[in-house]
Amino acid sequence: MSQLVKKVFKYGVLVTTVGGTGLLLKHNDWEVSTIGVFRFGRAAFAVTRVVIDYKVSLYGMNVDDPNYEDIKSKVHTRSALSLREMCCKNGGAFIKVGQHVGSLEYLLPVEYVNTMKVLHNQAPESPIEELFKVVEEDLGTKVEDLFTSIDPVPLGAASLAQVHKATLKDGRTVAVKIQHPKVKAHSFVDIKTMEILISFIAYLFPDFQYKWLAEETKKNLPLELDFLHEGKNCERVSKVLKDYEYLKIPKIYWELSSERVLTMEYCKGGKVDDKEYMKKHGIPVEEVTRKLGKLYSEMIFVQGYVHCDPHPGNVLVNKTKHGTQIVLLDHGLYQSLTEEFRLNYCKLWLALIKADVDKIKKYSERMNAGKMAGLFACMLTARSWNSITKGIDKSQISSSESNDIRENAATYLMEISEILNNVPRQMLLLFKTNDVLRGIESSLNTPANATSFINMSRYCVRAVARHKLKYSHSFFGRLKIQSAELWLLFKINLYQWYLWLSTNFKSSHRSLTS
């Protein structure tokens, strides 16, 4: 009887496996690589090579060995190049993850960041004929019946899609975002591959705690692959930030959109890190970073609804008759913050700006980073602990301090990975967003200064006061909250005036003595 049961089980597994594979192939247009044999094999080979390199190169070495850091840096570089090559060959989700790694400038070894960040400009392009098939499959109409013309050269190519300029039948110019044909078919296998390989690395290197990278990809990728979801994000953020007249969000043409095709208003502009474009069009770089800082302070601290992919290709700048305009593109990746998290984050930043060490520790604990509050604060601000305790608004970051922080990312890699694994998941995309924004400031040579932190503190004060008002039901209670808010804002304004007068006095004094 037991033999019969074994045979039934054996053949049952075989039928289920073959049947499941067949269904997967059919679902993915009989694309053989979606089984995972090729994509998984390529990724597994690259990861195995990296693991062996680390094990062999660092075997028996002591961290105090004078050659240790140099050898480890070379292994980092070789490994990053190997993984980048694999990402380029597999495409899709792998490039997306590589780009994410390239954005974490102050959280990962510089060798990985510098190697992976080029993926923002090396995303593969799909032939226009294949993209036309996607449009016709999803919209049910021939491309020539939808558009008078469509430029075969893309405005931009990304890991999941590419954008083409087109003209509608009524003469309006639009931008059409079209998903790469096989990216959705590959996504299921890609996510499973990442989960398996990251678990494998964590097993061999117990201190490696980057499972969150696969978990976040698994959660966010399906949303980013649904362009109708992106269109809804566009409309929602337009309403949320409607008072910011200098912000431009492209209008969505719903009748020409689907899960894989998004037709939107065409928006002109130069990339936010293009200093030559700004100089040519008379756009002050300081105004750009100031306005961008206000937008993100509003989204993070007040609204709790954050555009999480502000890399230079997704942020354009324009000179209009009303002043400098900022265009925000690619709305596939947003982070919604819970009220509790948002308020704790506000109070943590107020503590960081005030250099209040006790409150930094208090609110770091609420973020599950209390044991390493100092390192957590450095990760958030991209400043040294010495600068934080003296006041991050008192001095701008120097090139030597910036280099020290990047080097420390390698030194404290295990501690950083532990923090990333423990903090609320909402924090992970904010780390990426903060680092991308800092990258823009660095490109424009306009690092965060006293004015930046003063503006940020205004938004934090406003957010905390708004929360208190929400739960206050008495007239005198609301009056007390509003009075306290006005008093705090008055002190902030007074401090800003003091800084302005102090700066101008020093400037005048230097002019008189020279």
Side-chain angles (χ1 to χ4, degrees), residues 171-202:
R172 286 176 294 176
T173 304
V174 296
V176 188
K177 182 175 181 179
I178 309 168
Q179 198 170 107
H180 295 305
K182 300 299 180 184
V183 72
K184 185 170 284 190
H186 291 155
S187 63
F188 174 79
V189 171
D190 290 348
I191 291 170
K192 286 297 178 186
T193 298
M194 286 178 208
E195 287 182 312
I196 293 168
L197 294 178
I198 288 177
S199 296
F200 169 66
I201 296 171

Side-chain angles (χ1 to χ4, degrees), residues 1 63 147 231 272 276 395 421 424 485:
M1 184 68 179
V63 292
F147 307 103
V272 72
E276 286 301 314
S395 64
N421 206 50
E485 179 189 5

Side-chain angles (χ1 to χ4, degrees), residues 74-89:
K74 288 177 180 176
V75 179
H76 283 335
T77 301
R78 288 196 300 269
S79 301
L81 287 168
S82 179
L83 292 174
R84 187 182 72 187
E85 183 183 0
M86 179 271 292
C87 288
C88 288
K89 287 180 178 177

Side-chain angles (χ1 to χ4, degrees), residues 55-324:
K55 287 287 187 182
V56 172
S57 300
L58 302 177
Y59 179 75
M61 289 199 72
N62 192 301
V63 292
D64 296 324
D65 189 313
N67 297 318
Y68 179 80
E69 289 301 325
D70 182 55
I71 291 172
K72 189 172 71 170
S73 176
K74 288 177 180 176
V75 179
H76 283 335
T77 301
R78 288 196 300 269
S79 301
L81 287 168
S82 179
L83 292 174
R84 187 182 72 187
E85 183 183 0
M86 179 271 292
C87 288
C88 288
K89 287 180 178 177
N90 274 3
F94 285 92
I95 288 183
K96 195 75 181 175
V97 171
Q99 289 173 340
H100 192 155
V101 169
S103 300
L104 301 176
E105 190 164 359
Y106 297 94
L107 303 179
L108 294 175
V110 67
E111 296 87 352
Y112 278 92
V113 173
N114 289 342
T115 301
M116 292 299 185
K117 68 167 53 174
V118 301
L119 289 175
H120 282 295
N121 301 316
Q122 288 187 3
E125 291 184 18
S126 293
I128 191 68
E129 295 78 16
E130 292 186 13
L131 295 177
F132 283 173
K133 289 179 184 177
V134 173
V135 173
E136 291 170 359
E137 285 172 9
D138 276 35
L139 301 183
T141 310
K142 291 286 185 183
V143 170
E144 55 267 27
D145 294 332
L146 297 171
F147 307 103
T148 301
S149 64
I150 184 164
D151 192 339
V153 179
L155 294 168
S159 55
L160 306 182
Q162 61 195 57
V163 181
H164 289 261
K165 187 177 179 182
T167 306
L168 297 179
K169 292 294 184 179
D170 60 9
R172 286 176 294 176
T173 304
V174 296
V176 188
K177 182 175 181 179
I178 309 168
Q179 198 170 107
H180 295 305
K182 300 299 180 184
V183 72
K184 185 170 284 190
H186 291 155
S187 63
F188 174 79
V189 171
D190 290 348
I191 291 170
K192 286 297 178 186
T193 298
M194 286 178 208
E195 287 182 312
I196 293 168
L197 294 178
I198 288 177
S199 296
F200 169 66
I201 296 171
Y203 174 75
L204 294 175
F205 298 93
D207 290 331
F208 182 89
Q209 296 293 327
Y210 282 86
K211 288 185 179 181
W212 58 267
L213 193 56
E215 291 168 1
E216 286 299 293
T217 303
K218 184 177 181 179
K219 182 184 76 175
N220 294 319
L221 188 59
L223 296 176
E224 292 187 79
L225 288 170
D226 182 358
F227 290 174
L228 294 177
H229 175 77
E230 179 178 343
K232 290 172 184 174
N233 284 341
C234 266
E235 294 196 339
R236 179 178 172 184
V237 80
S238 294
K239 292 177 183 176
V240 165
L241 301 177
K242 63 181 185 299
D243 293 333
Y244 289 80
E245 295 180 355
Y246 61 79
L247 174 65
K248 175 70 175 176
I249 305 291
K251 176 187 173 184
I252 303 299
Y253 295 92
W254 289 107
E255 70 279 8
L256 296 173
S257 298
S258 67
E259 284 192 3
R260 297 190 297 166
V261 180
L262 188 66
T263 304
M264 57 199 133
E265 178 184 2
Y266 172 72
C267 298
K268 296 179 181 178
K271 287 186 178 182
V272 72
D273 63 345
D274 189 343
K275 291 180 74 172
E276 286 301 314
Y277 178 90
M278 294 184 204
K279 184 178 179 181
K280 182 179 178 181
H281 292 83
I283 301 172
V285 291
E286 296 83 2
E287 184 183 1
V288 170
T289 51
R290 185 175 69 251
K291 286 184 172 181
L292 201 56
K294 287 182 177 181
L295 280 176
Y296 272 85
S297 290
E298 175 74 26
M299 283 191 274
I300 293 170
F301 300 119
V302 181
Q303 302 297 336
Y305 183 64
V306 190
H307 177 283
C308 288
D309 202 8
H311 76 79
N314 291 340
V315 185
L316 306 180
V317 290
N318 271 315
K319 185 74 172 179
T320 70
K321 61 181 180 181
H322 301 295
T324 300

